Amino acid sequence: MVKLKENTFLQEDGQINTENWLARLSTIFPPHYIEPISQGIDFLWLIHDKLQNSELLITSLSMAEILVDLQTDPETIVASLFCSYVQTEQLTLDDISAKLGTVIPKLIAGTLRMDAIHYNASVDHKEQQQSLDNLRKMMLAIIDDVRVVLIKLAEQTALIREAQTSTPVKSSPLAKPASAKKDEEHTERRAGMYTRVHEDSSTGATKSFKAEVGLCKGSDKQLALDVMYIYAPLASRLGIGQLKWELEDLAFRQLHSHDYKEIAKSLDSRRIDREQYVEQVMQELRLALQSAGLEDFEMMGRAKHIYSIYRKMKRKDVDFSHIYDVIAIRVLTTTVHEAYTALSTVHSIWQQIPAEFDDYISKPKPNGYRSIHTAVVGPQNKNIEVQVRTRQMHEESELGIAAHWKYKEGAETELHFEKKIAWLRQVIEWQRDIANHETGITNADIHALFDDRVYVFTPAGEVIDLPKGSTPLDFAYAIHSQIGHRCRGAKVNGNIVPLTYAMNTGECIEILTAKHPGPSRDWLNTSTGYIHTDKARSRISHWFKQLDVAQHIQEGRAALERELKHRHLGQIDLNKLARKMHCKTTDDLCLGIGRAEIRLSNVMQHAQTLSTQIIQPDAPVVAKPLPMSETISTGTAAVQGVSGIMTMTAKCCKPVPGDSVIGYITRGRGITIHRIDCKNLIQLPNRDRLIEVDWQQQKKENYPVDILLKAHDHTDLLKDISGLLSTEKIRMLKLNTVPAQQNVLIYFSIEISDHALLQRIMDKLTHLPGVMLVQRVSG
């Protein structure tokens, strides 16, 4: 892996030479990579000539250089050149789009959204919620295009590097433009005295510029806190070791300068002895590896990073003099087989420390890191840490997620599905790292990653992963079966929605529950759209099947008897009916009805063929037997065997076509049509005047129907009802509301043409947000 030195665009005399910098890039990237970067550099100088802000210029070039080290694609590198300018409002995304196309501004916009979160250990509830919202914005930015996080990490690395050498200045030889004031307030960055030299590609003219700006020291600590607790963990989770160690050490130096200097001083005091010891160890190991038949390998030795040593001192509660394994040796091989051969060789020449062994090749870390770590007692009885990995593993450990954008001839830069999954896991883990460092965020997770998945939040901030198209009911059953069984409504981001609502990534879902479970069998109907996941469907079906068998039989028997009574079917041999329905016994039939496995409408079709009489003797309503020779249509209903008689619907129960009905012969007003379950039928005198009627199949008319609706009281309830009726082109005749504690009872009348339409409307009303009950008012 080719690595540029820091600030290679700076010459020894302090001049900025981007031409030489581009020439160095040509040794890393192919020509078609260099061309867009060169165009970006030209535009950068054009902007700089207008703004004369060397602070932004140095930061921008430093960011680009870090991304070059990560070997990202040219679009990422070019986008980094202009992030600071857009961030300080000295350049707009439209300006960049007009010059460089649409991809670069999109990357910049995503990177700027990551500015929304900062480390803050003590926040109130309102600020905590704001931090949560900010994290969600950042997550959206990252997942939309993973490259934005690389740009952000490059920015933080450039700034923390600059902060180490910052020295406030009292004056500047050049006054900043007014637009730069926002830059000072917003970013508070530093650049020393620099002179830049750039050859304009169009004119060939050489231009130079000097500027001196200072850093506001108050920003250093906040920058270091953000780096230590937000961006270093992010780099670690994404496996970008190249940045992780540097970010940690530089932030540690800024936050704990005394401890940093003490460890650095101790390391420096032993530097010559340590270097001699490292060379001795490497020479001994090199000869052993060659004796084992290994020829193509690389070896490097170094002192551990200062922050790593500091953490070990804290963990063991000892001072530096008691930390013996400050030396780390790394061996790079070509193949995995050679890596294990090298490991065996290390253990053969030095005594292994078993407690310090980790094989991340056979079992990689969640972020994809692969290597073998071991510790041994080396020469002079000193502990040595040895890492063994292949060159490819080393590159991946240094670049991490950036390795997916590394230039490879003919290779695609898009992540495969498995890599996206791994990436998502690391961002989730990184968020937990942030929460552990008290940023004010308790338990939030990330937004969308794939077109076929949605990621939604519980009120507690836990992320739930569901297929796209999932509803609040799917969400409820994903949380817990009992939550699903008791679900009666849902809120999305605080607003009540129907249970058929298709959730979107990033939404916060709250389930409204009843005290007792009671799933609806309608939820299992695929045409209603209540559930989308197999898990929810399985849990609902299981609930119905697991109800007490006796209760199912009782409920099924009650439903069967009620329907037989409504249809005036008496003297039915239930055993024969059960056999017709392919059930062994009557109890089996009732059990199937109670479990919703057998439809009552199918049972009634067979019951009609077994019925020996129309009149049921003990029924409260008795129909008058009439000859079945003809059916004559008159008015709203067809009366068997009678012609020329006027019919009218009863005002008490307001039947509609499709309802099970019966007629009552009045004096002088024809036949009044009642629903079969009308309560007033029991009180009618002369029940021998009851007559069998049926609806005629002629042109449709509208009939008034009274509805009772019970719901949780919320501001949009009436709007939801009226909107539904308007969509269905249903006319509302009247409406009255009655408060009932935290609920509300709504009585209203509508015009309906038939029973099927009424059932459909009532079903849709049932699934409006917050609705608990919808029933027809009769009698």
Side-chain angles (χ1 to χ4, degrees):
M1 181 179 66
V2 179
K3 182 176 173 66
L4 297 177
K5 295 182 180 179
E6 185 177 328
N7 292 347
T8 57
F9 51 83
L10 287 177
Q11 298 180 160
E12 292 183 0
D13 57 1
Q15 293 183 333
I16 299 175
N17 192 324
T18 52
E19 294 301 317
N20 289 343
W21 183 68
L22 286 172
R24 292 189 185 100
L25 298 192
S26 64
T27 65
I28 304 173
F29 299 130
H32 68 273
Y33 259 49
I34 300 299
E35 183 179 355
I37 297 175
S38 179
Q39 291 175 355
I41 291 292
D42 288 342
F43 185 48
L44 178 68
W45 283 116
L46 180 65
I47 297 302
H48 180 72
D49 287 341
K50 295 179 181 179
L51 300 178
Q52 298 294 297
N53 191 326
S54 65
E55 174 190 2
L56 297 185
L57 179 65
I58 297 300
T59 300
S60 299
L61 288 171
S62 297
M63 290 170 59
E65 191 164 58
I66 292 167
L67 292 170
V68 168
D69 285 345
L70 293 178
Q71 302 184 40
T72 59
D73 67 315
E75 292 172 335
T76 307
I77 296 170
V78 174
S80 70
L81 293 173
F82 302 100
C83 274
S84 296
Y85 289 91
V86 177
Q87 184 184 53
T88 55
E89 301 180 6
Q90 298 191 42
L91 194 64
T92 68
L93 294 176
D94 290 338
D95 295 333
I96 299 172
S97 179
K99 190 72 176 179
L100 301 174
T102 59
V103 176
I104 306 301
K106 184 178 179 181
L107 289 173
I108 295 173
T111 305
L112 296 184
R113 284 200 294 270
M114 294 185 69
D115 288 336
I117 190 170
H118 294 282
Y119 178 89
N120 189 354
S122 57
V123 295
D124 59 22
H125 177 73
K126 183 178 180 180
E127 290 173 331
Q128 188 179 47
Q129 186 60 42
Q130 184 63 43
S131 295
L132 177 61
D133 293 339
N134 289 341
L135 179 61
R136 288 172 180 168
K137 292 177 184 177
M138 185 188 297
M139 296 298 186
L140 277 175
I142 295 172
I143 299 305
D144 182 55
D145 194 324
V146 185
R147 291 174 292 179
V148 303
V149 77
L150 302 178
I151 300 174
K152 191 64 182 178
L153 287 173
E155 177 199 60
Q156 295 298 300
T157 303
L159 294 182
I160 198 70
R161 283 176 181 175
E162 292 173 4
Q164 307 311 308
T165 57
S166 62
T167 302
V169 293
K170 296 181 179 179
S171 62
S172 173
L174 293 177
K176 289 184 180 180
S179 60
K181 186 175 182 181
K182 286 185 178 179
D183 178 38
E184 281 187 340
E185 296 172 349
H186 185 67
T187 61
E188 301 177 344
R189 297 188 182 124
R190 187 227 39 106
M193 177 74 75
Y194 291 108
T195 303
R196 62 89 168 162
V197 174
H198 175 69
E199 182 178 345
D200 191 294
S201 59
S202 59
T203 64
T206 300
K207 305 172 184 179
S208 64
F209 177 76
K210 280 188 178 183
E212 186 177 17
V213 293
L215 170 73
C216 173
K217 282 293 187 178
S219 68
D220 286 358
K221 183 176 181 180
Q222 183 62 56
L223 171 64
L225 287 170
D226 289 346
V227 167
M228 179 63 79
Y229 298 118
I230 295 177
Y231 294 105
L234 177 57
S236 176
R237 288 295 178 183
L238 301 182
I240 311 178
Q242 179 174 324
L243 295 184
K244 182 242 187 194
W245 294 112
E246 181 180 5
L247 289 172
E248 286 184 340
D249 276 359
L250 294 180
F252 175 61
R253 178 181 177 182
Q254 200 74 22
L255 295 172
H256 304 280
S257 58
H258 175 75
D259 293 329
Y260 180 93
K261 290 176 182 177
E262 286 295 317
I263 297 174
K265 183 179 178 181
S266 298
L267 287 172
D268 188 61
S269 66
R270 304 179 186 176
R271 181 173 57 83
I272 296 177
D273 291 339
R274 187 174 61 252
E275 289 176 353
Q276 292 177 349
Y277 180 76
V278 168
E279 184 57 37
Q280 174 190 348
V281 169
M282 291 176 62
Q283 180 62 21
E284 186 174 340
L285 179 57
R286 184 179 295 109
L287 294 174
L289 292 175
Q290 290 172 348
S291 298
L294 295 181
E295 296 181 358
D296 186 15
F297 63 87
E298 298 177 43
M299 192 182 308
M300 57 198 76
R302 60 168 176 81
K304 284 190 173 181
H305 294 280
I306 292 178
Y307 184 63
S308 175
I309 296 173
Y310 172 78
R311 284 191 302 179
K312 177 163 286 190
M313 289 167 58
K314 288 296 183 182
R315 186 170 65 251
K316 294 188 175 182
D317 194 22
V318 296
D319 59 22
F320 181 82
S321 62
H322 291 85
I323 300 297
Y324 302 108
D325 55 342
V326 296
I327 302 299
I329 303 296
R330 182 175 295 149
V331 179
L332 304 183
T333 65
T334 302
T335 67
V336 173
H337 175 73
E338 291 174 347
Y340 281 102
T341 300
L343 173 67
S344 177
T345 303
V346 170
H347 289 167
S348 68
I349 62 175
W350 296 315
Q351 180 183 348
Q352 180 188 1
I353 304 174
E356 300 294 330
F357 178 79
D358 292 292
D359 185 352
Y360 297 120
I361 292 181
S362 61
K363 190 176 181 181
K365 286 186 177 182
N367 63 4
Y369 176 82
R370 293 181 297 164
S371 181
I372 301 173
H373 292 193
T374 188
V376 295
V377 180
Q380 303 174 25
N381 286 327
K382 292 182 179 180
N383 293 352
I384 307 170
E385 179 184 329
V386 181
Q387 298 177 1
V388 184
R389 63 182 72 146
T390 67
R391 291 182 177 88
Q392 179 183 353
M393 294 173 187
H394 177 65
E395 184 173 88
E396 290 174 351
S397 73
E398 292 293 289
L399 300 182
I401 197 72
H404 300 301
W405 274 270
K406 179 189 172 187
Y407 168 72
K408 294 178 183 177
E409 191 68 50
E412 294 291 334
T413 59
E414 285 295 325
L415 291 176
H416 295 112
F417 180 81
E418 294 80 5
K419 293 178 180 177
K420 284 187 176 182
I421 287 288
W423 155 250
L424 174 61
R425 290 196 186 106
Q426 299 322 304
V427 178
I428 292 175
E429 290 301 317
W430 164 63
Q431 185 278 324
R432 290 174 181 164
D433 289 341
I434 295 176
N436 291 337
H437 287 301
E438 298 180 321
T439 57
I441 301 162
T442 55
N443 240 339
D445 263 313
I446 64 175
H447 285 253
L449 179 55
F450 312 116
D451 291 337
D452 58 343
R453 307 297 293 179
V454 292
Y455 297 86
V456 291
F457 297 95
T458 68
E462 181 184 1
V463 70
I464 303 298
D465 173 8
L466 293 165
K468 186 176 182 180
S470 295
T471 67
L473 268 178
D474 293 309
F475 174 87
Y477 279 102
I479 298 296
H480 195 280
S481 296
Q482 285 301 312
I483 300 296
H485 294 336
R486 293 165 52 208
C487 178
R488 292 298 178 270
K491 290 183 178 180
V492 172
N493 295 335
N495 300 315
I496 293 181
V497 298
L499 291 179
T500 54
Y501 174 83
M503 300 180 298
N504 298 302
T505 289
E507 292 175 333
C508 182
I509 313 298
E510 179 183 355
I511 300 298
L512 306 176
T513 58
K515 291 183 179 180
H516 304 289
S520 170
R521 289 186 174 91
D522 289 339
W523 294 353
L524 295 170
N525 189 339
T526 56
S527 63
T528 58
Y530 285 112
I531 53 176
H532 185 76
T533 62
D534 293 336
K535 179 178 181 179
R537 187 174 305 279
S538 173
R539 297 292 173 84
I540 296 169
S541 299
H542 183 73
W543 188 88
F544 283 113
K545 290 181 179 179
Q546 292 302 311
L547 282 178
D548 184 76
V549 173
Q551 180 183 348
H552 274 310
I553 294 175
Q554 182 180 353
E555 290 177 352
R557 189 179 298 277
L560 176 59
E561 291 176 353
R562 184 168 57 252
E563 191 65 16
L564 289 172
K565 186 178 293 185
H566 285 174
R567 294 175 181 261
H568 294 284
L569 299 175
Q571 301 294 324
I572 297 291
D573 189 330
L574 295 182
N575 289 325
K576 289 184 178 180
L577 180 60
R579 287 192 294 271
K580 278 187 170 290
M581 296 303 301
H582 307 288
C583 297
K584 293 181 179 180
T585 66
T586 303
D587 284 348
D588 291 339
L589 173 62
C590 295
L591 180 62
I593 296 173
R595 284 182 172 176
E597 295 172 350
I598 298 177
R599 298 175 61 90
L600 266 176
S601 58
N602 294 338
V603 177
M604 289 302 104
Q605 291 178 1
H606 292 286
Q608 293 278 3
T609 63
L610 297 175
S611 178
T612 58
Q613 64 180 64
I614 299 300
I615 302 173
Q616 188 171 338
D618 57 349
V621 178
V622 182
K624 181 178 180 180
L626 293 173
M628 304 290 292
S629 57
E630 61 176 338
T631 298
I632 301 175
S633 299
T634 60
T636 59
V639 183
Q640 294 179 352
V642 182
S643 61
I645 297 179
M646 179 179 64
T647 61
M648 58 188 299
T649 57
K651 295 181 178 180
C652 54
C653 57
K654 297 181 179 178
V656 297
D659 286 339
S660 296
V661 292
I662 193 167
Y664 181 79
I665 302 173
T666 66
R667 295 182 182 274
R669 290 184 289 114
I671 297 177
T672 303
I673 309 300
H674 290 263
R675 282 165 42 197
I676 199 70
D677 58 351
C678 180
K679 298 177 181 179
N680 289 340
L681 284 178
I682 300 176
Q683 304 173 2
L684 289 175
N686 303 321
R687 287 197 291 176
D688 57 346
R689 294 187 181 183
L690 293 173
I691 186 172
E692 185 88 355
V693 296
D694 200 357
W695 296 100
Q696 63 182 2
Q697 301 297 322
Q698 292 188 358
K699 67 177 182 178
K700 289 188 176 181
E701 298 180 14
N702 289 329
Y703 301 85
V705 176
D706 295 330
I707 302 292
L708 166 63
L709 183 147
K710 182 180 179 181
H712 296 290
D713 196 5
H714 63 92
T715 55
D716 292 331
L717 181 58
L718 293 179
K719 178 183 176 182
D720 292 341
I721 296 173
S722 60
L724 187 153
L725 296 178
S726 176
T727 301
E728 295 290 335
K729 295 181 172 54
I730 301 298
R731 181 186 175 193
M732 182 184 292
L733 303 177
K734 62 181 180 179
L735 181 144
N736 183 36
T737 61
V738 179
Q741 296 179 348
Q742 295 182 345
N743 301 322
V744 63
L745 302 178
I746 301 179
Y747 297 86
F748 59 97
S749 297
I750 56 177
E751 285 189 339
I752 291 293
S753 60
D754 57 50
H755 180 78
L757 176 60
L758 175 62
Q759 287 298 111
R760 188 171 82 248
I761 296 300
M762 290 179 65
D763 183 69
K764 290 189 175 183
L765 288 170
T766 301
H767 299 103
L768 286 178
V771 173
M772 304 163 61
L773 170 71
V774 177
Q775 68 181 32
R776 195 169 170 185
V777 179
S778 64

